[in-house]
């Protein structure tokens, strides 16, 4: 620094001495002096991209992200092939959670510096956050090809594989991350997530506790541990972990949402007052709706569906009022996301057949498929109805292949909300049916938006949805007592008898063991 100061004393207009001294002050933490020197250097040499890049770092450190972004854009106008500027812009956009923009910038950085493993990793992270999981996987694998002992890339590759339903591969990657770094808390969280998705709750809890022992500041680990404990029936302990998450991250919408849903018992204790329990949940819903003020509503979509009032259906009570409050909140939180991120519907195609979209996890051998959906694919007249299948689960079996053979279009493999929303809107369903709202976070998010002129639910989860975005509920005459419409927020459509078409299971005869 003394040398640069001497140089400036000899030539006060030297942009290079001013730039280097400004960079040194930035590294020392004197942001005001650094900005002054860098701006002076730019006065003497306006076309100085290196100075603009360092100035951007100074401005971000001073809390002015938009000005920092503008400075980086100026540098790139001067030198479009400046890999470091593209990298810094992508990282700044990542910190501002502008994930699609970050991915675009980091792609340019990779073009100019393809041998940088960290750039591939950072691009993968931005794509992962933007829910472009297939591309993210490729980036993580490229980072590992360049640096095989990259624990963070192994961890994130495991996480993206878990998000895509490839749990065995995910577990192997996360184990590799932990082999490289046994104290890597995030990898323990990822391993816990794989266990939880496989309903191995005790093993998941061990992983989350290990992560928190290594790093007590991971709010996601507290939330996930709370979810596991709730599923084990340990509501009191689960609430403690949701509260701990909110202490760490007061704006954590997922934690606040899960805390409210945790008040519904999976099984009521013998001496528990059901009316009092339901009143507490009603109060929780009111408090939850109030918690989502204007600022929190912008990110509230992340929480919708992460935990659901599933167990209300097991209480022999009229749940319409409770679920209507819940449904209104879901729709309110999804509306800003749809307005900002969902593509505008294309001009509708004129078709003879009614286009019926079905959104479900269960285009496979499962009770929802066997009892409800399969009959539609077998029996509906293809000259009158065009079936559009949106399969939310990556698993495939013989039933999946049958559904694909009968569908006008069959979408599977999309993982993110943006991709599913775009796929549904592009297919232009006239009617969109959700056979089991209440069992899957993605179906809850999608059903909370208006993606088709007519939207319906069915009894894969046998309860009113409460959603103002669902117009009809497809039930059965033999299921519903007199006056049942009063228990539904949707128009109740009671189809004849059991309302579905099923076939007897084909069973092979086996010899009886005489012993």
């Amino acid at each position: 620094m003394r040398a640069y100061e001497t140089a400036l004393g000899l030539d006060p207009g030297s942009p290079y001495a001013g730039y280097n001294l400004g960079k040194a002050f930035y590294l020392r933490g004197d942001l005001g002096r650094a900005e002054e020197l860098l701006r002076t250097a730019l006065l003497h040499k306006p076309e100085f991209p290196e100075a603009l890049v360092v100035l951007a770092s100074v401005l971000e450190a001073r809390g002015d992200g938009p000005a920092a972004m503008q400075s980086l854009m100026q540098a790139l106008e001067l030198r479009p092939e400046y890999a470091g500027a593209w990298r810094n812009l992508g990282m700044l956009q990542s910190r501002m959670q502008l994930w699609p923009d970050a991915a675009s910038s980091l792609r340019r950085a990779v073009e100019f510096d393809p041998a940088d493993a960290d750039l591939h990793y950072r691009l993968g992270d931005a794509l992962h956050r933007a829910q472009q999981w297939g591309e993210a996987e490729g980036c993580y694998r490229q980072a590992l090809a360049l640096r095989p002992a990259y624990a963070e890339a192994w961890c994130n590759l495991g996480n993206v594989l878990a998000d895509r339903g490839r749990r065995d591969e995910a577990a192997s990657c996360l184990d590799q991350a932990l082999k490289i770094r046994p104290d890597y808390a995030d990898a323990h969280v990822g391993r816990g997530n794989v266990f939880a998705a496989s309903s191995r709750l005790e093993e998941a809890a061990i992983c989350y506790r290990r992560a928190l022992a290594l790093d007590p500041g991971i709010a996601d680990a507290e939330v996930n541990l709370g979810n596991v404990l709730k599923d084990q029936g340990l509501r009191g302990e689960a609430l403690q972990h949701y509260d701990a998450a909110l202490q760490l991250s007061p704006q954590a919408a997922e934690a606040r949402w899960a805390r409210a849903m945790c008040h519904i018992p999976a099984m009521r204790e013998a001496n528990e007052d059901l009316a009092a329990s339901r009143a507490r949940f009603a109060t929780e819903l009111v408090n939850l709706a109030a918690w989502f003020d204007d600022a929190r509503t912008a990110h509230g979509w992340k929480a919708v569906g992460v935990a659901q009032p599933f167990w209300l259906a097991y209480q022999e009570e009229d749940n319409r009022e409770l679920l209507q409050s819940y449904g209104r909140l879901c729709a309110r939180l999804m509306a800003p996301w749809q307005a900002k991120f969902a593509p505008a519907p294309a001009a509708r195609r004129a078709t003879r057949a009614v286009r019926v979209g079905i959104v479900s996890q269960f285009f496979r051998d499962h009770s929802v498929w066997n009892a409800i959906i399969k009959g539609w694919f077998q029996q509906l007249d293809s000259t009158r109805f065009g079936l559009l299948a949106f399969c939310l689960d990556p698993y495939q079996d013989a039933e999946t292949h049958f559904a694909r053979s009968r569908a006008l279009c069959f979408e599977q493999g999309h993982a993110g909300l943006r991709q599913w929303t775009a796929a549904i809107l592009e297919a232009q369903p006239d009617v969109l049916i959700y056979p089991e709202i209440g069992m899957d976070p993605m179906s809850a998010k999608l059903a909370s938006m208006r993606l088709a002129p007519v939207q319906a639910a069915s009894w894969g989860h046998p309860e009113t949805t409460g959603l103002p975005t669902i117009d009809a509920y497809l039930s059965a005459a033999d299921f519903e007592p007199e006056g049942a419409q009063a228990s539904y927020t949707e128009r109740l459509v009671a189809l004849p008898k059991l309302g579905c078409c099923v076939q007897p299971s084909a069973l092979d005869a086996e010899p009886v063991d005489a012993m």
Side-chain angles (χ1 to χ4, degrees):
M1 292 176 74
R2 284 193 296 272
Y4 294 138
E5 286 169 344
T6 300
L8 275 178
L10 294 169
D11 181 3
S14 169
Y16 299 104
Y19 158 71
N20 283 315
L21 185 57
K23 186 175 180 180
F25 273 109
Y26 163 66
L27 294 171
R28 201 171 74 172
D30 189 340
L31 302 178
R33 182 68 176 133
E35 182 176 352
E36 178 186 347
L37 285 160
L38 290 162
R39 291 195 182 280
T40 300
L42 286 161
L43 282 175
H44 292 289
K45 182 178 171 59
E47 296 186 353
F48 196 169
E50 292 87 351
L52 286 163
V53 168
V54 179
L55 177 60
S57 298
V58 172
L59 292 168
E60 185 187 2
R62 301 193 79 175
D64 194 346
M69 191 177 301
Q70 183 180 7
S71 186
L72 287 165
M73 297 297 287
Q74 286 180 260
L76 287 164
E77 287 176 12
L78 294 169
R79 190 189 300 168
E81 74 283 3
Y82 194 166
W86 282 115
R87 177 196 183 102
N88 285 14
L89 179 59
M91 295 303 297
L92 172 60
Q93 290 165 331
S94 294
R95 287 187 287 273
M96 297 174 72
Q97 298 188 11
L98 302 171
W99 302 116
D101 293 337
S104 179
S105 297
L106 290 165
R107 275 197 189 95
R108 296 301 308 277
V110 166
E111 287 176 22
F112 296 116
D113 193 0
D116 188 330
D118 191 57
L119 273 179
H120 289 281
Y121 169 78
R122 299 295 178 186
L123 174 56
D125 184 55
L127 290 165
H128 193 177
R129 305 276 189 145
Q131 300 184 334
Q132 297 178 42
W133 294 344
E135 292 181 77
E137 178 185 344
C139 290
Y140 294 138
R141 292 194 184 280
Q142 183 60 37
L144 288 165
L146 293 165
R147 191 191 304 170
Y150 200 160
E152 293 83 357
W154 280 114
C155 178
N156 279 20
L157 177 58
N159 290 336
V160 80
L161 290 170
D163 288 337
R164 303 188 78 186
R166 293 153 61 184
R167 294 173 192 161
D168 291 342
E169 294 175 74
S172 177
C173 292
L174 290 158
D175 287 343
Q176 183 64 28
L178 289 168
K179 183 178 179 180
I180 297 166
R181 278 183 53 192
D183 61 347
Y184 190 8
D186 286 346
H188 286 286
V189 173
R191 198 67 180 89
N193 293 343
V194 174
F195 280 130
S198 303
S199 298
R200 296 166 63 177
L201 302 183
E202 291 185 7
E203 292 161 288
I206 290 170
C207 291
Y208 297 139
R209 293 187 195 279
R210 175 64 177 153
L212 288 166
L214 291 165
D215 183 354
I218 305 179
D220 285 348
E222 294 282 9
V223 175
N224 294 353
L225 180 54
N227 292 339
V228 165
L229 293 168
K230 178 200 68 176
D231 290 345
Q232 291 178 305
L234 303 171
R235 284 189 293 147
E237 194 175 348
L239 286 168
Q240 293 174 14
H241 288 282
Y242 295 140
D243 288 340
L246 289 164
Q247 285 288 325
L248 292 168
S249 179
Q251 307 305 316
E254 296 95 327
R256 184 64 187 85
W257 188 277
R259 190 188 189 286
M261 299 303 133
C262 189
H263 284 76
I264 307 169
M267 182 177 292
R268 181 163 53 104
E269 298 294 335
N271 60 350
E272 187 172 358
D273 184 337
L274 182 61
S277 171
R278 292 170 65 83
R280 282 195 299 273
F281 180 59
T283 300
E284 281 295 321
L285 284 175
V286 171
N287 293 341
L288 182 64
W291 188 83
F292 281 103
D293 56 18
D294 290 344
R296 290 170 175 150
T297 292
H299 302 286
W301 65 272
K302 297 178 183 179
V304 173
V306 296
Q308 301 185 63
F310 180 84
W311 298 110
L312 276 182
Y314 292 79
Q315 297 177 6
E316 292 194 46
E317 304 286 337
D318 185 343
N319 294 319
R320 172 176 174 153
E321 185 174 344
L322 288 173
L323 290 173
Q324 189 168 39
S325 297
Y326 165 81
R328 285 171 177 163
L329 178 58
C330 291
R332 173 163 75 85
L333 296 179
M334 291 307 304
W337 184 92
Q338 184 174 10
K340 185 174 182 180
F341 295 113
R348 298 193 70 80
R349 294 184 284 261
T351 59
R352 292 181 58 192
V354 177
R355 297 170 69 85
V356 180
I358 300 167
V359 183
S360 175
Q361 298 180 76
F362 303 119
F363 291 91
R364 57 182 173 86
D365 187 11
H366 183 276
S367 57
V368 171
W369 166 260
N370 293 324
I372 304 173
I373 306 173
K374 186 174 183 177
W376 300 341
F377 278 76
Q378 289 175 322
Q379 301 296 330
L380 285 176
D381 183 349
S382 61
T383 65
R384 296 177 59 203
F385 302 99
L387 290 173
L388 317 170
F390 303 100
C391 182
L392 302 180
D393 192 295
Y395 181 82
Q396 298 186 29
D397 62 11
E399 302 297 334
T400 316
H401 299 311
F402 170 73
R404 189 186 299 273
S405 74
R406 297 282 294 175
L408 195 62
C409 82
F410 190 97
E411 295 282 347
Q412 187 178 24
H414 301 296
L417 182 60
R418 288 194 191 193
Q419 289 75 20
W420 278 119
T421 304
I424 292 170
L425 290 171
E426 172 64 23
Q428 297 185 355
D430 300 301
V431 181
L432 199 56
I433 303 175
Y434 295 88
E436 78 285 337
I437 299 173
M439 298 171 66
D440 172 63
M442 184 60 70
S443 65
K445 283 181 166 66
L446 293 169
S448 298
M449 297 185 285
R450 173 64 65 179
L451 302 178
V454 177
Q455 302 189 153
S458 192
W459 52 273
H461 183 60
E463 184 65 272
T464 182
T465 68
L467 294 169
T469 50
I470 299 298
D471 308 300
Y473 191 97
L474 306 181
S475 184
D478 288 354
F479 291 174
E480 301 292 350
E482 187 176 347
Q485 177 63 69
S487 297
Y488 290 89
T489 59
E490 309 87 356
R491 175 193 170 196
L492 177 60
V493 180
L495 299 170
K497 299 183 179 180
L498 294 178
C500 55
C501 177
V502 295
Q503 295 177 323
S505 299
L507 300 177
D508 295 329
E510 294 184 5
V512 176
D513 186 350
M515 296 178 64

